[in-house]
Amino acid sequence: MENSYDIVVIGSGIAGASVALCLGRVGARTLVVERKSHPRFAIGESTLPTTSILLRHLGRAYGVPELAQVCHYVGCKQNGLTAWPKQHFWFAYNHEGRPVSPDEELMLETLLLPQGPDCHWMRADVDGFLTSRLPAYGVDYTDHTEVVDFDTRADGVELRLRRADGEHVVRAKYVVDASGHASFLADKFDLRDPVPRLKTNTRVIFSHFRNVRPTNDLLGGPHANFRFNRFNGTQHHVFHGGWMWIIPFDNGVTSVGLVLDRDAYPLDPSTPPKDEFWRFIERFPTVREHLRGAEAIREYNRTDRVQFTSKTILGERFILTPHAAGFVDALYSSGVLLTCAFIARFIPLARQALADGDFSPERFRGVERDFFGELEQVDRLVSGSIRASRHREVHKQFWKTWVYASFAQAASKLLHPDALGIQLYGGSIPAFRRDVARMHEIVSEEGGDELERAARLREIITGWHEQISYGMVHVFGEPDVGGSLCITAPDFKQSRERLSAFLQNHAAKYPEHLPKLDLQHATAWVKEGSKHRENYVATYANENDTSALRRSLGVIFEGANPSFDYFTDLRS
């Protein structure tokens, strides 16, 4: 640790380590300060296709291949990381006292080979791996180090740090606070809103478990409409007033979290977290069977309200990353995604600030604007989903809002990976943003007929075909009547064609985005997929039964629908 740096990053979780790796590559003399050490427990364990797109962009744009490696299951295994090949998001609607039926299940597939599969991350592994790479990129790192003071100077800041060997003063031109909800700078400058500016109002109980049962076993085998084993993705049990995540890893451990609406289920501090968790599980037969025999290997963590927001993410000579600035809820896995979008926007501005010697807050105001816009859009989607959970058909229709939003963000970030103003979850499409707000109003109404409410939601969704093409996904099953629904990924050629159609429709409707289109990035993504395809085919060309590839991807083929061949497009 030296006495002077360009940028100091507080925190070495995935946000702090990733931003520091990129800063090192653009020539910033960077120090990362960590209060604890690695490995350490963290949640935020599920990636999305858009997360993968942004991590690949950052890895390619700044020469940090580790970021591209960790977004892909094969890359994780090559680096010895505990992960899971995520193929889908699965949702089951639960009634109290009654098992889930096949027509109460929903599935959205994620990226297939060659671009996928996406990942579940054992965050202790991934965070530790990225932090271990800091020295290779010229980034200094100190752990067991606490920031105890921050003073602004005319030419930068002074940080007072406390370590086992005493206190040290470090000067820097700028500070990035990536220390999460316990943010040092948010506390020092009283940046937290006393009441979060969010509609979502949830609390959570979570832990890591062993012996969680495979989902197909408790639901009578493969689902007729689903191509993949239910257990091979991020699994969600939904019920009136909350939901549960079940996220498996390939070391036999499963992350499980129970999320409850605080209005429906206020916290009773007198009930131990473990007791509350299992009493709630007992009310839903399918969830009870899913976790029958499961054993927690960590302490049960329970929080009161998980939401928090900040008045601003900017101050004189500092910025807060999304994890330190605000949080909605783990539903739809938006936490790491918001961080990746932040890094993609921040790094070009930081590089220019270093060149100009100008770190004024206004230089980064666009990063703040887009973060708050995206946080609002995520809040509407999550809050709306929880409010819609009172009826399965209302829930399904609002769930499709998230599906459309997911495609819109994947396509937009593929075409504008670091463009300011192109927000996640369709936030930069005014008509879509207005419709999401209107749908949130509909599910928030008290009383009335639920099927009529679902029909009103469906009517709004029908109009989106003119605004947002399905693009890289299509619907398998009956989307507008009762029953299960699977949103599936087409083959790679169809993906390219539909992405082109999305681009044409989007550019025609919003020509102001045209100057920001990064066609080179989109083309590189397609070429990268073709390269992955060639590598897989070359490696396994003589394996007629593809057994070697199946072994290399571990458990992802167990329990899949036998009528679906994962390799048809890959080998054709």
Side-chain angles (χ1 to χ4, degrees):
M1 188 172 65
E2 299 178 1
N3 295 325
S4 180
Y5 292 90
D6 291 324
I7 297 179
V8 171
V9 178
I10 305 174
S12 65
I14 194 165
S18 298
V19 75
L21 289 168
C22 295
L23 286 170
R25 273 302 198 197
V26 300
R29 293 178 299 113
T30 304
L31 169 68
V32 175
V33 178
E34 170 57 47
R35 185 167 60 93
K36 299 180 180 179
S37 63
H38 294 281
R40 63 159 189 239
F41 176 75
I43 57 173
E45 301 153 320
S46 174
T47 70
L48 303 165
T50 315
T51 314
S52 299
I53 288 168
L54 285 169
L55 284 170
R56 282 193 173 100
H57 161 69
L58 292 170
R60 180 172 49 250
Y62 301 110
V64 186
E66 291 86 348
L67 295 178
Q69 291 165 4
V70 299
C71 74
H72 193 285
Y73 179 70
V74 176
C76 284
K77 300 320 293 177
Q78 289 170 341
N79 286 288
L81 308 179
T82 303
W84 184 269
K86 170 179 174 172
Q87 296 173 297
H88 59 74
F89 289 87
W90 174 80
F91 293 77
Y93 190 86
N94 290 260
H95 297 270
E96 191 165 347
R98 178 162 69 77
V100 170
S101 63
D103 62 352
E104 294 172 326
E105 300 180 55
L106 304 167
M107 182 178 286
L108 172 65
E109 295 180 5
T110 64
L111 293 175
L112 306 182
L113 287 169
Q115 290 289 0
D118 294 321
C119 289
H120 294 160
W121 286 333
M122 181 67 76
R123 281 287 302 278
D125 281 15
V126 173
D127 293 7
F129 167 68
L130 293 177
T131 299
S132 74
R133 300 299 298 151
L134 293 174
Y137 291 85
V139 176
D140 288 352
Y141 172 70
T142 176
D143 60 12
H144 297 290
T145 303
E146 185 176 2
V147 180
V148 294
D149 202 5
F150 173 104
D151 287 319
T152 305
R153 297 287 188 262
D155 58 348
V157 299
E158 283 189 355
L159 289 171
R160 188 155 52 90
L161 309 179
R162 181 180 296 135
R163 301 196 308 187
D165 61 353
E167 291 194 352
H168 302 259
V169 174
V170 171
R171 294 176 176 83
K173 297 174 183 174
Y174 201 68
V175 173
V176 177
D177 189 336
S179 57
H181 66 89
S183 160
F184 171 80
L185 293 177
D187 180 63
K188 178 177 177 61
F189 293 103
D190 191 27
L191 300 184
R192 289 284 187 259
D193 292 310
V195 178
R197 294 177 285 115
L198 299 169
K199 298 176 174 61
T200 309
N201 183 24
T202 56
R203 61 187 184 90
V204 63
I205 309 170
F206 61 91
S207 187
H208 278 180
F209 292 79
R210 289 196 182 275
N211 304 322
V212 174
R213 298 181 64 196
T215 322
N216 278 9
D217 291 357
L218 56 110
L219 290 170
H223 192 292
N225 279 4
F226 298 163
R227 303 195 290 178
F228 298 117
N229 180 355
R230 300 172 179 92
F231 199 60
N232 287 343
T234 307
Q235 301 152 75
H236 305 77
H237 286 288
V238 178
F239 45 83
H240 187 188
W243 65 282
M244 170 175 281
W245 77 71
I246 296 183
I247 299 177
F249 307 107
D250 60 12
N251 65 347
V253 174
T254 301
S255 176
V256 180
L258 174 64
V259 183
L260 300 172
D261 183 0
R262 295 170 71 245
D263 293 327
Y265 304 103
L267 174 65
D268 177 3
S270 66
T271 303
K274 178 180 178 180
D275 293 350
E276 183 184 17
F277 180 89
W278 286 105
R279 287 176 190 172
F280 202 90
I281 298 308
E282 285 295 320
R283 298 164 62 174
F284 301 96
T286 299
V287 182
R288 182 178 65 236
E289 285 303 302
H290 205 159
L291 297 179
R292 179 165 53 86
E295 299 176 359
I297 61 173
R298 299 187 59 86
E299 179 183 0
Y300 287 80
N301 291 272
R302 181 172 65 186
T303 68
D304 199 353
R305 188 172 186 182
V306 300
Q307 292 74 43
F308 67 91
T309 55
S310 302
K311 304 177 185 72
T312 178
I313 72 170
L314 295 170
E316 194 62 38
R317 298 280 179 169
F318 72 84
I319 191 169
L320 309 182
T321 67
H323 279 90
F327 184 72
V328 177
D329 187 279
L331 185 61
Y332 304 139
S333 306
S334 62
V336 176
L337 174 62
L338 291 170
T339 292
C340 291
F342 167 89
I343 297 172
R345 292 163 178 154
F346 172 74
I347 295 296
L349 298 176
R351 176 163 52 185
Q352 193 60 48
L354 282 168
D356 298 343
D358 175 15
F359 282 93
S360 62
E362 287 310 307
R363 180 181 285 275
F364 303 98
R365 194 65 67 187
V367 177
E368 178 181 69
R369 179 199 63 219
D370 290 325
F371 167 69
F372 281 135
E374 289 168 346
L375 198 70
E376 179 184 53
Q377 187 80 334
V378 171
D379 181 40
R380 286 197 184 108
L381 289 168
V382 173
S383 171
S385 295
I386 291 172
R387 297 182 190 198
S389 66
R390 62 183 178 232
H391 188 277
R392 74 171 194 178
E393 189 63 21
V394 176
H395 168 260
K396 182 173 75 170
Q397 296 305 324
F398 199 89
W399 176 83
K400 289 191 287 184
T401 308
W402 165 68
V403 171
Y404 271 100
S406 297
F407 168 67
Q409 72 177 14
S412 65
K413 285 305 169 190
L414 189 58
L415 295 164
H416 329 268
D418 56 5
L420 296 176
I422 308 299
Q423 295 179 3
L424 297 173
Y425 289 106
S428 55
I429 303 175
F432 182 73
R433 189 174 63 245
R434 288 193 298 269
D435 279 349
V436 172
R438 174 59 186 143
M439 293 178 75
H440 187 277
E441 292 175 357
I442 291 173
V443 299
S444 301
E445 294 170 355
E446 298 292 338
D449 181 82
E450 299 292 0
L451 290 178
E452 184 273 337
R453 181 174 287 112
R456 289 160 60 198
L457 297 175
R458 187 167 58 244
E459 183 179 358
I460 295 174
I461 293 169
T462 302
W464 290 348
H465 287 281
E466 297 178 2
Q467 299 175 37
I468 307 175
S469 164
Y470 266 124
M472 290 179 281
V473 298
H474 68 273
V475 175
F476 180 89
E478 296 291 338
D480 293 324
V481 297
S484 62
L485 172 63
C486 184
I487 311 294
T488 66
D491 64 44
F492 196 60
K493 181 179 178 181
Q494 285 178 310
S495 295
R496 286 182 293 171
E497 293 172 347
R498 293 180 179 186
L499 179 61
S500 176
F502 174 87
L503 171 60
Q504 293 175 23
N505 293 339
H506 184 83
K509 202 166 187 67
Y510 304 102
E512 66 273 18
H513 290 170
L514 276 173
K516 301 173 183 176
L517 296 183
D518 188 348
L519 298 180
Q520 183 178 4
H521 177 258
T523 302
W525 187 81
V526 172
K527 288 182 177 179
E528 181 184 20
S530 299
K531 181 180 179 181
H532 285 323
R533 175 198 298 267
E534 292 166 3
N535 289 342
Y536 281 121
V537 172
T539 303
Y540 303 106
N542 296 322
E543 296 283 343
N544 293 329
D545 62 355
T546 62
S547 58
L549 182 52
R550 291 173 188 269
R551 285 195 302 273
S552 78
L553 294 180
V555 298
I556 67 175
F557 301 100
E558 297 297 327
N561 189 329
S563 66
F564 171 63
D565 185 354
Y566 197 77
F567 302 96
T568 299
D569 178 59
L570 182 66
R571 298 177 62 84
S572 63

